[in-house]
């Protein structure tokens, strides 16, 4: 007998509907899986066989052919365990087959019949809703994640026994309900607060501008000056994710398998901090079956590269295209996938190998040649893409010993939110724009044109510092953000002047 069960496979961060066809016929007992299955899918044969026997079902000792369609799409992962199990039970007439066409099944089975969570359920639920599938049957631990998608009924079960009972009497079960907005309202309070940072008013101001406009930022200073401490407190002043942004972020984390213990929605902006030994593919994504890398996992959040100059130069060059375009394309022989990567880059580095170049107390022991080689790891095109280049100096003794706290993160976050609200209002006719850093040339011409004094100031900076057209555009975008923080509709000379002050590394050349 032939039975067909619907499932799905993830390609990039999108989902493709997969048909699981099970045919049971006469012949020697064997199980054959067709349709480009990977090792995990091939192993489903023995896993499903043992599961059904241990669960008390009659396993047909006949020739079983399992065909996964479309046949030219590579299938991977253990999520096909449940649909294969249901297909075998339906083909052997142990469960009703008339309801199978209305539901899409996903899940890994244990040998005792329990269901284990799988990765990529959110994009599959979104695709199922688009295709008009009535319901989704998933492990209980995945139910909340799938229920985020509106317009589809999601049923979560602990074991295969519950699934077969559901197919026998679906009206006895209620779909999982979830209020996504309520989940987002439960945003966790940041554990790191800017009030812990003493002094560094210039760097704190740069953090506020970066958070408001989504601008890339680098801190340059000697060891112990507070670069990492400042960067790790940036998430506390970022505005919360809205529902659409949370769906985007959760979709990526779902595909990466990072939601099994994180709940239903990623409610806080991501903060990713890879080690300097990271490879290029680990940053941009890749593998035989492409998975998102660090820059995509930081989508709508922060990618923090501590000790930037310790990264290999060729690895840093991988960042250039995603920083400009907001997405990364990973191409393999059989397929090409696109991962979103609209992130804010925050980096820190020492000014030289010993770390004390320009320090008023500790003398630098590096030669000019060593400093030149040190900075050669950072190419000009990459530095052009970093809007805010901030020198972080050693604290003065009186700043270290005083007990007074700096301004806390919460009032700064309120100002950041107001600045972003002005940008949202300005971008209301452009759905793809979220913050000033995402503006393109046509938007800069429209909203970032400074007054006459500002134009003259910018022209002088371009001549003196030898700035590129890209760097000048980024100065204008920073000036626009400074104007938003000040509540000004127009970009003025003082806004441009402050933006130029954040080109520290250009002034050092």
């Amino acid at each position: 007998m032939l039975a067909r069960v619907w499932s799905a496979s993830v390609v990039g961060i999108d989902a493709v509907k997969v048909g699981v066809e099970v045919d049971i016929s006469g012949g020697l007992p064997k199980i054959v899986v067709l349709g480009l299955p990977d090792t995990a899918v091939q192993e489903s044969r023995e896993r499903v066989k043992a599961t059904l026997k241990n669960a008390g079902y009659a396993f047909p000792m006949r020739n079983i052919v399992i065909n996964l369609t479309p046949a030219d799409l590579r299938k991977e992962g253990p999520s096909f365990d449940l649909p294969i199990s249901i297909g075998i039970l339906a083909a052997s007439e142990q469960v009703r087959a008339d309801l199978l066409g209305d539901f899409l099944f996903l899940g890994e089975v244990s040998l005792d019949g329990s269901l284990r969570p799988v990765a990529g359920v959110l994009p599959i639920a979104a695709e199922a809703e688009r295709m008009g599938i009535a319901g989704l049957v998933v492990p209980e631990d995945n139910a909340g994640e799938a229920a985020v998608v509106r317009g589809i009924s999601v049923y979560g079960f602990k074991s295969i026994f519950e699934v077969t009972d559901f197919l026998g009497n679906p009206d006895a079960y209620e779909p999982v309900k979830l209020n996504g907005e309520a989940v987002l309202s439960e945003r966790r309070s940041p554990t790191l607060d800017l009030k812990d940072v003493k002094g560094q008013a210039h760097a704190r101001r740069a953090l506020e501008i970066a958070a408001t406009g989504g601008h890339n930022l680098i801190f340059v200073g000697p060891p112990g000056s507070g670069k990492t401490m400042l960067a790790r407190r940036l998430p506390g002043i970022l505005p919360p994710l809205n529902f659409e942004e949370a769906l985007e972020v959760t979709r990526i984390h779902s595909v990466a398998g990072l939601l099994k213990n994180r709940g239903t929605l990623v409610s806080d902006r991501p903060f990713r901090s890879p080690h300097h030994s990271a490879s290029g593919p680990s940053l941009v994504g890749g593998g035989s079956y492409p998975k998102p890398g660090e820059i995509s996992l930081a989508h709508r959040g922060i990618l923090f590269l501590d000790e930037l100059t310790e990264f290999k130069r060729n690895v840093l060059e991988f960042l250039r295209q995603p920083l400009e375009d907001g997405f990364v394309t990973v191409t393999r022989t059989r397929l090409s996938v696109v991962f979103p990567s609209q992130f804010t880059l925050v980096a820190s580095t020492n000014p030289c190998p010993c770390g004390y170049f320009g320090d008023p107390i500790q003398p630098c022991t590096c030669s000019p040649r060593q400093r030149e080689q040190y900075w050669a790891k950072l190419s000009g095109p990459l530095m052009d893409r970093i809007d805010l280049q901030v020198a972080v100096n050693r604290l003065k003794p009186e700043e270290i010993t005083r007990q007074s706290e700096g301004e806390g993160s919460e009032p700064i976050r309120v100002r950041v939110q107001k600045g972003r609200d002005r940008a949202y209002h300005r971008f209301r006719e452009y759905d793809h724009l979220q913050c000033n850093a995402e503006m393109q040339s046509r938007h800069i011409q429209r909203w970032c044109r400074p007054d006459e004094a500002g134009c003259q100031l910018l022209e002088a900076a371009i001549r003196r510092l030898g700035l590129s057209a890209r760097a000048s555009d980024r100065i204008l975008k920073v000036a626009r953000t400074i104007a938003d923080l000040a509540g000004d509709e127009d970009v003025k000379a003082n806004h441009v002047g402050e933006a130029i002050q954040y080109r520290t590394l250009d002034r050092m050349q």
Side-chain angles (χ1 to χ4, degrees), residues 11 51 75 129 147 296 326 415 491:
V11 180
T51 297
K75 321 302 187 306
E129 189 277 330
S296 295
R415 294 199 297 269
V491 177

Side-chain angles (χ1 to χ4, degrees), residues 279-318:
S279 64
S282 72
L283 286 182
V284 302
S288 301
Y289 310 106
K291 297 294 184 183
E294 291 291 337
I295 63 174
S296 295
L297 294 173
H299 181 63
R300 299 300 179 193
I302 305 297
L303 177 68
F304 176 47
L305 302 184
D306 200 7
E307 303 298 340
L308 184 66
T309 48
E310 296 300 323
F311 285 79
K312 295 180 181 178
R313 177 177 174 129
N314 66 314
V315 171
L316 294 177
E317 293 305 298
F318 278 91

